[in-house]
Amino acid sequence: MMRPADVFTGFQRLFLDVQHTATLGCVLLIFDAVLNVCVIHTVKYTEIDWIAYMQEVEGFLNGTWDYTKLQGDTGPLVYPAGFVYVYSLLYYVTSYGTNIRLAQYIFVGLYLMTVMEVVYIHHKLAKIPPYVLVFLCCFAYRVHSIFILRLFNDPIAMLLLYFSIVCFVNHHWSVGCIIFSLAVSVKMNILLFAPGLFLLLVEACGWIVLLCR
């Protein structure tokens, strides 16, 4: 029979030992999946930009390629081409933007993939105790809101950004830079990470190799 002290020691290792980051991450991923489904069915969706996004990509799909003429209820299109292509796909998948519930479930999938990337990065680097993941995943109300209650383009950009970081921590610098560029093509605030990336590239590759790439 397991003693209470052994149970306590097991939980302590799970939450404090960096070797258990992946284990706790898997547990949190399952919990978060259930939590997201509950949020979808209990918290009212708030319309902010989704309709405008659909209006903007609808103009593109109808043959308008002039950015100055692409606009929605919130104003002109201000995002790069990657945004247009991604939301054009969502436009068709969600029955021309009308199936909000399906869009929310798609964003749940995007959220869970982002969490998987974050868990992998923490596991790979083994610098921060696993309990931090609890606050990053389960108690990040605004993150859940942005993903599944607002359907903003930030989640897609961040998913690609974290994927590029996964590449960087595995020293796949060229592939990571390509994916980083794709993230920028969805939302340009990803460029705020560029100075840090530049310093990492200089340190990892050197000036000559960096300029050649």
Side-chain angles (χ1 to χ4, degrees):
M1 183 176 180
M2 186 174 292
R3 298 177 301 172
D6 295 332
V7 175
F8 176 78
T9 301
F11 273 102
Q12 189 177 39
R13 290 177 178 173
L14 180 64
F15 285 92
L16 298 178
D17 188 347
V18 293
Q19 299 301 319
H20 294 286
T21 299
T23 303
L24 181 60
C26 291
V27 173
L28 293 176
L29 194 67
I30 296 172
F31 174 81
D32 225 349
V34 175
L35 177 63
N36 275 278
V37 173
C38 292
V39 170
I40 288 177
H41 288 276
T42 57
V43 181
K44 185 179 179 181
Y45 162 77
T46 304
E47 169 54 40
I48 297 180
D49 283 335
W50 175 260
I51 292 178
Y53 291 168
M54 294 298 102
Q55 292 169 338
E56 290 163 358
V57 300
E58 188 174 40
F60 164 74
L61 294 171
N62 288 336
T64 302
W65 287 45
D66 186 345
Y67 254 66
T68 62
K69 297 180 180 178
L70 293 174
Q71 57 182 354
D73 289 343
T74 58
L77 174 61
V78 295
Y79 301 117
F83 162 87
V84 177
Y85 297 137
V86 170
Y87 275 85
S88 292
L89 177 61
L90 290 173
Y91 175 83
Y92 284 121
V93 172
T94 60
S95 302
Y96 309 113
T98 60
N99 193 338
I100 301 296
R101 181 58 55 84
L102 176 58
Q104 287 182 291
Y105 276 110
I106 291 173
F107 275 77
V108 167
L110 297 175
Y111 172 81
L112 295 176
M113 286 190 289
T114 303
V115 171
M116 290 173 62
E117 292 172 341
V118 172
V119 170
Y120 176 83
I121 293 167
H122 282 282
H123 171 71
K124 181 74 173 180
L125 299 179
K127 298 292 185 181
I128 300 176
Y131 72 84
V132 174
L133 295 175
V134 177
F135 300 99
L136 292 177
C137 300
C138 302
F139 297 111
Y141 170 79
R142 179 160 177 78
V143 174
H144 289 87
S145 176
I146 289 174
F147 270 85
I148 61 176
L149 297 178
R150 305 292 188 269
L151 308 180
F152 290 155
N153 59 338
D154 304 76
I156 300 170
M158 294 305 297
L159 174 68
L160 292 170
L161 173 67
Y162 281 120
F163 189 22
S164 72
I165 295 175
V166 168
C167 294
F168 295 144
V169 298
N170 286 289
H171 307 290
H172 300 309
W173 299 103
S174 296
V175 176
C177 287
I178 292 172
I179 297 171
F180 182 87
S181 298
L182 293 176
V184 173
S185 78
V186 175
K187 192 164 186 178
M188 293 187 68
N189 63 351
I190 300 299
L191 283 173
L192 294 172
F193 295 89
L197 174 58
F198 175 74
L199 294 177
L200 286 176
L201 289 171
V202 171
E203 181 180 357
C205 305
W207 283 100
I208 296 177
V209 176
L210 179 60
L211 291 175
C212 291
R213 290 183 177 181

